[in-house]
Structure formats: C-alpha cells, structure tokens
Amino acid sequence: MGPAARSCAGAGGTTMSRAGEAIRRHHGKIRAILSQHVTALREGRAEADPQALAAFLQEDLLPHAVGEEKALYPAVDPLIKAYGKATATMSVDHEFIEGSIRRIVQAVQEWAQAEEAEKATRFATLRDLALQLEAVLTLHLEKEERVYLPLFEEHLPEEEQERVLHAMHEAHGHESEQALDVRALPPRERHPLIMRTFDALKPGQSFILVNDHDPKPLYYQFQFERAGEFTWEYLEEGPEVWRVRIGRA
C-alpha cells in the first residue's frame, strides 16, 4: 500500500494522516491540561491541585514520552536520516522532561508533608518547576509537529503509521501503571490508602507499591479481605526498598 490517504493540508503544504492527527490531538490535550494546572498554580487559585498535577504527569505525560521513544521515533529515525536530522535532540528533551516530572512529584510530596509555615515556600517551588516544564514541553511538541509528523505522514505507508500509533498506545498503557510510594506516610495511614487504591482499580489494572519494609502483613490482609480478587508480584525485595505490583484479578 502506498502513502497514507491525507485528510487536510499541514505545515508547509504537507497533508496530514489519521495517525498523525491522532498524535496531534493528544499533544493538544496534554498542552491544555498542563496549562490549566500551571495557571492555577501561578495565580494561586483555589482549584490548584498539586496532587492532580503529579498524577497527570505520571499517568499521561510521562507515558506519552515513553510511547514516542518506543514507537514513533524508531519509525521516524530512518526518515530523518534520509530527509533531515537525527532524533537525538528530541530524546534529550524527553530526558529533561522525565527529570522535571521527578522533581515536580518530589516537590508535591514535600509540599504535602510541609508544616503550615513552609507551605507557601514549597508551593512557590512547585509552581516554578511546573512553569519550567510547560516551557520545555511546548517547544518539544512544536518541534515534533513541525519536523517529525510531516515526514511520518508523507513517507510512511498507512499501515506502518497505524502500527506505530498502536505501539505508542500499548507503551502508554504499560508505563501509566501508578506507583504508590508510602514510605513517607505514618504507618497507620499506609494500609487504608493502599486498600483504597486497590479498590479503585478495574479488572486487569495494577499499581506498584513502594515501601521501606517487606509488606508481608499487607499480603495477609489482602488474603483475608480480598481473597481471589488480587495479584501480588515482588519486583524488588530490599534491603532498603520493596516494590510490589498489586493488581485486580
């Protein structure tokens, strides 16, 4: 099959495909959501929600970057070699974005745990980190849409574009698995939060529990209260950190 059927004209006269448009739509979605969070933080609005921001970054933005690294960039790379430049600079962007996400998530945790007198300072730090990420992400997405997607749509067959889009979706689903780090929480708050997180899962979904000791008592609680409903898989077993994938059967 030849190049994909085009739906409309893009930048520089390049026409756009269904897969390319799907990627652009997701770019628009994550731009809009991040902008809403950043505006609320910057202006100190009542609806500013640092926890929701951290969840969006970990569950949507980071998996989007992973999906591109695993599927879109390998497809575009030979096209860049033939028609343009290498993808290395874009991967550097993703490294920076991933680092920013880690810093923001850490800042959210520090803000949530801070004494009331320190809340404003922690919030200002979080706001500045979010603004920095917004600027980098805006530029990163602009480069993808002006350089990569036109090549992707113009020179890849339609079935290959669809394969790349499907692979990106698969990577998104895998990498969006939530990590629940309870190490900073008081012991009495850990099990209730873990059980609430589990109860919110749909069948087949899971999350990664991060703990500072072997959560064997939690396993027994699951056996007693959720017998036959859960899966339990150790990913890391100490001596300082334990990671367990807990899923709904």
Side-chain angles (χ1 to χ4, degrees):
M1 183 179 295
R6 312 295 187 234
S7 59
C8 58
T14 300
T15 50
M16 295 179 286
S17 67
R18 195 201 73 83
E21 275 298 280
I23 296 170
R24 288 186 178 90
R25 284 195 300 272
H26 192 243
H27 283 176
K29 174 185 173 183
I30 59 181
R31 278 195 194 101
I33 294 174
L34 181 60
S35 180
Q36 290 171 2
H37 281 296
V38 170
T39 299
L41 287 170
R42 183 175 58 243
E43 298 179 3
R45 296 179 181 177
E47 64 267 26
D49 188 343
Q51 300 287 0
L53 170 62
F56 161 70
L57 296 176
Q58 291 178 299
E59 298 169 14
D60 200 345
L61 179 53
L62 183 56
H64 173 83
V66 172
E68 289 182 337
E69 288 286 347
K70 290 185 175 180
L72 178 61
Y73 289 179
V76 171
D77 197 42
L79 305 177
I80 294 289
K81 291 176 181 177
Y83 304 101
K85 300 178 181 178
T87 60
T89 57
M90 302 298 285
S91 295
V92 171
D93 286 359
H94 279 166
E95 291 175 8
F96 184 89
I97 290 168
E98 290 168 9
S100 292
I101 290 172
R102 288 193 296 270
R103 288 190 292 273
I104 289 173
V105 170
Q106 179 63 33
V108 168
Q109 293 175 347
E110 292 173 354
W111 169 83
Q113 298 163 14
E115 299 292 337
E116 196 61 35
E118 299 179 357
K119 286 279 188 182
T121 299
R122 298 292 187 183
F123 194 87
T125 298
L126 176 59
R127 177 197 61 205
D128 292 344
L129 288 171
L131 287 169
Q132 184 182 53
L133 176 58
E134 181 189 35
V136 172
L137 179 64
T138 298
L139 177 59
H140 177 78
L141 298 182
E142 184 72 13
K143 289 187 290 185
E144 284 186 346
E145 293 184 12
R146 291 177 59 181
V147 179
Y148 284 8
L149 289 185
L151 290 171
F152 173 78
E153 293 169 316
E154 190 69 27
H155 299 288
L156 274 186
E158 183 176 5
E159 63 269 23
E160 181 65 9
Q161 293 185 33
E162 294 295 331
R163 185 198 66 77
V164 169
L165 184 61
H166 178 72
M168 289 177 66
H169 288 165
E170 284 190 336
H172 186 288
H174 177 72
E175 295 296 332
S176 62
E177 190 172 43
Q178 177 185 359
L180 180 62
D181 189 341
V182 299
R183 289 174 293 179
L185 295 178
R188 68 180 181 278
E189 297 180 9
R190 296 183 182 188
H191 283 207
L193 174 60
I194 294 166
M195 301 308 287
R196 289 197 302 271
T197 302
F198 174 81
D199 289 339
L201 296 177
K202 298 177 182 178
Q205 291 183 329
S206 61
F207 65 94
I208 306 297
L209 173 66
V210 184
N211 205 1
D212 52 13
H213 64 271
D214 188 348
K216 185 65 71 175
L218 177 68
Y219 174 80
Y220 293 133
Q221 181 178 348
F222 267 96
Q223 285 279 49
F224 181 74
E225 298 181 5
R226 304 289 192 278
E229 300 178 17
F230 75 99
T231 60
W232 183 279
E233 178 188 1
Y234 280 101
L235 303 178
E236 185 175 350
E237 299 184 63
E240 296 181 355
V241 177
W242 277 257
R243 300 179 191 274
V244 182
R245 176 178 286 115
I246 302 173
R248 181 176 285 279

